[in-house]
Amino acid sequence: MALYLLCLVLSTTLVFNFLQTLADTSCTDCFIQSRATYYPNSEDNGTDVGACGFGSFGATLNGGDVSAASNLYRDGVGCGACYQVRCTNSAFCSDKGSTVVITDQGSSDNTDFILSQRAFGRMAQTTDATASLLALGVVGIEYRRVACSYPNKNITFKIDESSGNPHYLAFVIRYQQGRRDITAVQLCETQNFVCKLLDRSHGAVWSTTSAPSGPLSVRMLFSDEEGGEENWVVPVNDIPQDWKAGDIYDSGVQVNQ
């Protein structure tokens, strides 16, 4: 009898541990409860002065389905991340919700998201429901991290207007794909392969006060938000030696992980 009870306890413990492990591994797809509002004084698109450094490009990125974030901003690491956001009022809200890109930092009335009016309205079932949601101002939501997708778009580097060749170089990374974060960026000379680790100036902007010379190869470290797998991605195309402020360079790569 004692042996039977011992086996029963062990079996129960193993089942519990298995279910707990299964729950932990699936939580990357779990929805989290929160609240959201929208930019009250903007047009349908997002702001063109967001903290991520995208500028006016950030207002129309993802078709204007963008958002500011509070804790999810993560000191700029969260810039460019995508989230599925859906409101929870069954009278007005669809099951699909909106997929938004983080382009700014901000919070209002204990919200995790300040959506563009376009993205906020897209959570509704119908046009009439959109008006009702906008009238509410703040709504209960649930959200989860999803992969960003930009069909036929490569990651690009936009040289910041504050840059000056050859001394100070800053650029913002556009069209970040997949569901992983860019946690480090290196700039390497293509001739002698000497690399320099860049500073995160702010948001999605990376900079150095002593840029290497010659054509430059950019290396980006993509990391899981949970601190798991990470790997360096090296673009096909280099930043040319005669780079200048305002220029946009196509990396030649997509990272859909």
Side-chain angles (χ1 to χ4, degrees), residues 70-204:
S70 52
N71 294 333
L72 296 174
Y73 180 77
R74 293 179 289 140
D75 294 324
V77 177
C79 289
C82 292
Y83 293 88
Q84 181 185 2
V85 182
R86 61 188 190 187
C87 52
T88 55
N89 187 327
S90 60
F92 305 129
C93 304
S94 69
D95 293 334
K96 183 178 179 181
S98 296
T99 298
V100 299
V101 183
I102 301 303
T103 60
D104 194 11
Q105 179 185 28
S107 61
S108 175
D109 197 11
N110 295 318
T111 62
D112 272 310
F113 295 89
I114 303 178
L115 304 173
S116 64
Q117 288 194 29
R118 171 187 165 88
F120 195 88
R122 285 168 68 87
M123 294 190 296
Q125 298 174 3
T126 64
T127 302
D128 290 340
T130 296
S132 298
L133 281 183
L134 292 172
L136 289 174
V138 179
V139 295
I141 62 158
E142 53 186 15
Y143 71 90
R144 63 181 176 182
R145 181 86 179 260
V146 295
C148 297
S149 177
Y150 303 103
N152 304 316
K153 293 289 187 181
N154 295 327
I155 292 175
T156 61
F157 309 115
K158 164 68 161 49
I159 307 299
D160 192 79
E161 298 295 344
S162 63
S163 299
N165 196 341
H167 303 295
Y168 179 70
L169 172 60
F171 57 83
V172 61
I173 299 177
R174 296 178 170 183
Y175 299 119
Q176 176 182 331
Q177 298 141 349
R179 59 184 296 170
R180 292 193 292 169
D181 301 319
I182 299 176
T183 53
V185 175
Q186 287 184 335
L187 204 57
C188 304
E189 296 182 11
T190 58
Q191 295 179 350
N192 56 22
F193 301 106
V194 174
C195 296
K196 179 181 181 61
L197 194 64
L198 302 187
D199 298 318
R200 186 186 292 274
S201 173
H202 62 281

Side-chain angles (χ1 to χ4, degrees), residues 180 222-231 257:
R180 292 193 292 169
F222 283 78
S223 307
D224 288 339
E225 188 175 347
E226 296 79 15
E229 181 183 354
E230 59 182 21
N231 67 285
Q257 301 174 343

Side-chain angles (χ1 to χ4, degrees), residues 31-100:
F31 281 96
I32 299 171
Q33 303 296 313
S34 185
R35 287 154 55 87
T37 185
Y38 62 91
Y39 289 103
N41 298 320
S42 72
E43 297 181 356
D44 284 348
N45 296 333
T47 177
D48 58 3
V49 291
C52 288
F54 292 122
S56 57
F57 170 81
T60 58
L61 178 63
N62 193 40
D65 288 340
V66 296
S67 178
S70 52
N71 294 333
L72 296 174
Y73 180 77
R74 293 179 289 140
D75 294 324
V77 177
C79 289
C82 292
Y83 293 88
Q84 181 185 2
V85 182
R86 61 188 190 187
C87 52
T88 55
N89 187 327
S90 60
F92 305 129
C93 304
S94 69
D95 293 334
K96 183 178 179 181
S98 296
T99 298
V100 299

